C-alpha cells in the first residue's frame, strides 16, 4: 500500500506531527498551553500549529538555553523555559550527557541510575508534569 503515492506504510511513521496538530485543530480540541519536553530540536511543528499559545519548554540541559531562546524569540512565540528533567517524582536526577557530533559538547542526555565519574554526569532538578502544571495554575 502506498502513502501519498510514494512510500510503503511500513516505512513511514503516521500520523506526522503536522497532520496530528492540524487534525486536533480541525476537531476543535482546545489548546491553551503547549508543553514541550526536551525542546532543543524538532519543535517547528508545534510552533507552526500553535504560534499564539504559550509554550512551556522543559529542558534539563542549561547549555541549550541560548539556542532555545534564540529560536523562540526569532519566531515571536511566547514561552517559559524551565530547566528540569521530567520524572516520576519531584526532586533531583542524575543525567548523563554525550555528543554524537564533532565540535559540539552535548547533543544528547538521559536519566541514569547512578552518578558516574567525569564531566558527562550531572545532577539536575526533576519535576513531574503534575507539579509543573500546578505551578502554573
Amino acid at each position: 500500500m502506498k502513502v501519498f503515492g510514494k512510500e510503503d506504510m511500513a516505512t513511514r511513521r503516521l500520523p506526522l506531527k503536522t497532520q496530528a496538530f492540524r487534525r486536533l485543530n480541525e476537531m476543535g480540541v482546545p489548546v491553551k498551553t503547549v508543553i514541550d519536553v526536551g525542546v532543543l530540536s524538532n519543535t517547528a511543528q508545534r510552533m507552526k500549529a500553535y504560534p499564539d499559545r504559550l509554550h512551556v519548554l522543559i529542558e534539563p540541559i542549561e547549555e541549550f538555553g541560548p539556542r532555545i531562546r534564540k529560536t523562540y524569540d526569532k519566531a515571536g512565540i511566547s514561552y517559559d523555559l524551565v530547566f528540569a528533567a521530567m520524572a516520576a517524582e519531584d526532586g533531583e536526577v542524575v543525567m548523563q550527557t554525550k555528543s554524537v557530533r564533532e565540535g559540539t559538547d552535548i547533543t544528547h542526555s538521559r536519566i541514569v541510575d547512578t552518578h558516574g565519574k567525569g564531566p558527562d554526569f550531572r545532577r539536575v532538578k526533576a519535576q513531574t508534569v503534575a507539579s509543573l502544571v500546578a505551578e502554573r495554575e
Side-chain angles (χ1 to χ4, degrees):
M1 178 179 224
K2 298 289 182 181
V3 176
F4 304 118
K6 294 183 180 181
E7 298 177 6
D8 182 81
M9 282 188 79
T11 62
R12 185 164 178 93
R13 290 178 44 201
L14 292 175
L16 300 176
K17 283 188 261 183
T18 302
Q19 294 167 324
F21 295 142
R22 182 179 23 206
R23 184 70 181 127
L24 289 171
N25 288 332
E26 290 169 355
M27 293 170 51
V29 174
V31 176
K32 181 179 174 185
T33 303
V34 175
I35 299 176
D36 191 349
V37 179
V39 69
L40 181 62
S41 59
N42 296 318
T43 63
Q45 298 91 346
R46 283 176 286 284
M47 293 170 75
K48 183 177 180 182
Y50 305 105
D52 57 342
R53 307 305 196 293
L54 173 67
H55 288 235
V56 178
L57 311 174
I58 315 303
E59 176 57 59
I61 306 301
E62 290 191 25
E63 290 92 332
F64 293 165
R67 187 167 149 199
I68 293 167
R69 286 185 188 96
K70 181 178 178 182
T71 298
Y72 278 81
D73 289 344
K74 182 177 179 181
I77 294 175
S78 178
Y79 66 91
D80 180 10
L81 180 55
V82 177
F83 289 110
M86 290 288 96
E89 298 176 354
D90 289 334
E92 200 175 68
V93 294
V94 176
M95 302 284 301
Q96 181 180 22
T97 61
K98 71 175 185 174
S99 179
V100 296
R101 192 174 306 127
E102 179 103 14
T104 302
D105 291 336
I106 302 170
T107 59
H108 294 78
S109 64
R110 65 183 181 127
I111 296 174
V112 294
D113 292 331
T114 58
H115 197 295
K117 296 183 188 235
D120 54 338
F121 291 91
R122 63 179 71 184
R123 293 191 179 282
V124 300
K125 175 184 174 183
Q127 193 166 13
T128 65
V129 172
S131 70
L132 175 80
V133 170
E135 286 178 359
R136 283 154 178 73
E137 292 182 321

